[in-house]
Amino acid sequence: MEQIYPLDTPMRQLISFNKLLEQYEEQLNSADPSLVQRAKYILEAQKPYPELRDGFEDLSILEARKDIIELLLADVFSGFLTQNEIKSAAIPYMNIVFNKSERLKQIIADAGEGFELEIRNMPDKLQYILQSAVILNFYYGFNLDFKRPMFYDIPDKNGVMRHYRILYNADFMEIIPTDKAKKLSKEDVDGLLANYDDLDYWKTMIPPNSFTVKGFVIANMFDVTADHSISEIKSTLIGTNKRGSDNFMEDFQGTFQSLFNNKDIQVGFTGYNQDAKQFLRIYGKGINSFILKDRDFADCNTILCQASNDTILNEKSYFAVSNIKKYYQESEQAQPYKNLYDQGFKSCILAPIADEGNLLGVLELVSPNINDLNSLNANKLEDVMPFIISAVLRSIEEEKNLIDAIIQHECTTVHDSVYWKFQQEAKRFISQEAIGRQPAFKEIVFKDVYPLYGQIDIKDSSKERNLAIQRDLMIQLAEIKDILSVAHKTLELPIYEELVFRVQSYIEEIKDALHTNSEQAIFDFVQEEINPVFHHLKREDGILNDMILKYEASIDMGTESYYDHRRNYDESVTEVNKRLAAVLDKKQEDAQAMFPHYFERYKTDGVEHNMYIGSAIANEREFNSLFLSNLRLWQLQVMVEMENVYYGFKSELPVKLDVTSLMLVYSSPLSIRFRMDEKRFDVDGTYNARYEIIKKRIDKSYIKGTNERLTQKGKLAIVYSQKKDEREYLRYVRFLKSKGYFTNNIEIVELEGLQGVTGLKAIRAEILYHKEESPEQTYTYKDLMETLKA
C-alpha cells in the first residue's frame, strides 16, 4: 500500500471529501429544486464508500474510486473549462495530484513518458516545517507569513521548459489534534521562529503525527514562463558569479528559448568599437558571435546591409530577418547575410545594446527555421533589454577595473604606507564628480621626507655575462668547425675548407675578449651560412648526419644558439635576486611595524631599494627624528644580514658570483611626487634631483687619488656628505661591531668627484660572516673564501 507521507511529518494526512460533502448536505435545504436534487444524487452515490468521508491514506483508492471522485468534484472542476484551466486536486506541499483537468493531462503527456510532477525546491526538511507552519496558523491561531511561491517546471512537446505557478485553495481541509499535540504559548512560537533550521527542535514542539489533516486542496496552476524567463535573465545578469560559470551561456540560452517558446533558438553577443566603427568578438565561456562567424572583428559596413546598418547603428532599434535565405538570394549572396546563411540559420533578430545613444554591442538571436524569429516576437525583448544593457555596462566597468588591477599588480603597486593618500584623492574626485563638476586627479606629493637607499649588486656582472657568452660561442664554433672539417675531408669540396677558415677566424677573434658586436656577427653567420649548409649535409648518411644531429640537440630553441654557460649565469642571477628580495621583503614587515614609511625595491643585477620616511607619509602618526635613526640602523643591519644570507647559498649557484653592498645617506629632507605617466614615485624639484644623480653614479665611483673602486667584496660602503652623518653612522657601526656584524677594519675614504657632485665620503666596514649552524663562529671575507674552498 502506497502511503501519502512515507516520512515523519507533523500531520497524518487523510484524503477526505467530508468538507465537500457537508456543503452538499447544506444544499438539501436550498430553495432551488435542481440544487437539492443534485445534492441528493451525489450524497446517495457516495454512501457505499464511507472512506471518502472518513478519509484514507492508501493512494490506490484514488484509482479504485476514480469515477465517484470525479462525480464529487464535478462542480469544482467545471467541464466547460477543463480544456483551458490548468487545475487538479492535490495534497498540499506534496507531489500528489488527482482529478486533473484535461489541459493539465495534455501538458503532462507532452512532457514525455515517465515525467512526474515535482514541486521545485521542496526538500524533505522544508516539508516538515511548512506543515508545522500550517498547524500554527490554522489550529493555534498564530498569524505567521510562511507562504512562498511554488512552481512546477514542465517541458513542452518541443523540449522547451515551461514554468507554472501553483496556488492552493484549502477550503476543503480540516485539522484535528491527536493526543500527541502540545499546548503552545507565544514564547514557544518565538523559539520556533528563532530556530528555523533546527528540525529536531521543531519535532520536539510539534511532534510527528500530532495532528490529523483531512481533506484536499484545489491546485490552480498558471503558466508564468514569460515572467519567469525575464526574472531568470535579470537574476543571471545581476549575479556576477553566475556570469563567470562554465554553464552561464547554456542556461542563458535556455532562458531565451523559454521566453520565445522555441528550443532551436541560439543566443550570441557581438561587441562594438565606437572609434573604429567595428564589430568585435567578445571572449568568454560559451559566447559566440554568429554575425562575425570565425572572425575576431570586422567593419560594420561589411557585416550589415544598409537597412540593418541604419536600424542598428543609427536608430538603435531591433532588426529582424524572418527569411535569411530569401534575403541572401535576393542580395546575390552578399556578405551581410552570408555568415548567417553559411551556418544554417534561417531567421534572426539583431538587437542593439545601447546606452544614452551609444552602441555597446549587439544581442543576436538566431534559429535554423524560417519565421521562428520575426519583427512581431522581437517585441518580447522590450522587457529584458534594460537588464542586458545594465549588465553590459557593469561588465565594461568591471573590465576596466580588472585592467587597472592587472596593470597595478603586474607593473606597479601602490605601497600600503601611502595608499591612504590615493584613497583620499579618489574620494575627493568622486565627490566632485557627483555634484556635476569635472575634476582632475591631483598629483600625489609627499613633502619633507627623508630618503634612504641601498643596493646589493653582483660584482663585475657585465664581465661575468660576457665571459659566459664567450665560452658558449667558443664551444659552438668548435663543434661547427669539427663538422665542417669532416665534411671537407669526406666530400673534398673547397667551400667547406673556406668555411672552416672563417669559423677559425671567429674563434681567434673572441678567444681573448668578446668585442661589442662579435656576438651578433657570429649569430648572423651561423643563421645565414652555417645552418643552410648543415641542412644540406644532413642528407648525407653516416657520421656527418650523426654529428649534425648531436650539434642541433645542444642548441637552445629560445636563443637559437649554444646556451649552457649563459643559462648558468642567468639562473644564478635570478636565484640571487629572488632570495635576496625575499629576505628584504620579510624584514620590511618588521620595519613597517616600527613606523610606516614608503618602500620600493627592484631587481637588476642584484637588489636595490628606496625608502622614504616622514610625517607626510605617516598620516595621523606623529613623526620624530628618532624613527629616522631607527630606520637607518635597521637598514644597516639588514644589509649585513643579506650579505650573510647570500654567502650562505653561494655554493649552490651554478656560477659562483660575488656581491658588493652600498648605502647612501642623505640628511636633507626632500619631496617625492607620484608620476602618473610612469606609475612610480620620483624626487620632486631641481634641487632634489641631485639625490637621484648621486644614486645613479656612486656604485661606479673610485677612491680619490687611486684606481680602487669604492665597492669591494666583503665590505659595506656607506656614502655621505656631511660630518654629522659620519658621526651617526660610525656610532651605528661600532654598535653593530659589538654584536658581531663588523670587524675592526673600518676606514673612512674620500671619493673622486662625480659629474656635478663633489665632496662625498664613505665609511667602509669589513663584514663578519656567520655560518648558520654555528652563529657564534665568524669569518672575514678572506676567511670565508678559504672556508668555501676547503
Side-chain angles (χ1 to χ4, degrees), residues 146-186:
F146 63 90
K147 295 179 181 178
R148 53 173 289 189
M150 296 179 296
F151 299 90
Y152 285 130
D153 300 322
I154 309 174
D156 65 13
K157 59 184 177 182
N158 297 316
V160 176
M161 188 62 70
R162 313 293 297 175
H163 307 282
Y164 301 87
R165 182 162 183 182
I166 310 164
L167 295 179
Y168 285 148
N169 181 331
D171 290 345
F172 305 108
M173 298 285 291
E174 52 187 323
I175 299 177
I176 305 164
T178 69
D179 56 0
K180 295 181 180 180
K182 295 183 176 183
K183 290 185 178 180
L184 297 181
S185 64
K186 184 178 183 304

Side-chain angles (χ1 to χ4, degrees), residues 434-453:
I435 60 176
R437 296 182 181 177
Q438 295 182 334
F441 202 91
K442 292 182 179 178
E443 289 186 310
I444 306 296
V445 180
F446 294 100
K447 296 182 178 180
D448 296 326
V449 294
Y450 294 89
L452 295 91
Y453 171 76

Side-chain angles (χ1 to χ4, degrees), residues 357-368:
N358 297 316
L359 185 66
L360 307 174
V362 176
L363 168 69
E364 308 167 5
L365 302 181
V366 295
S367 170

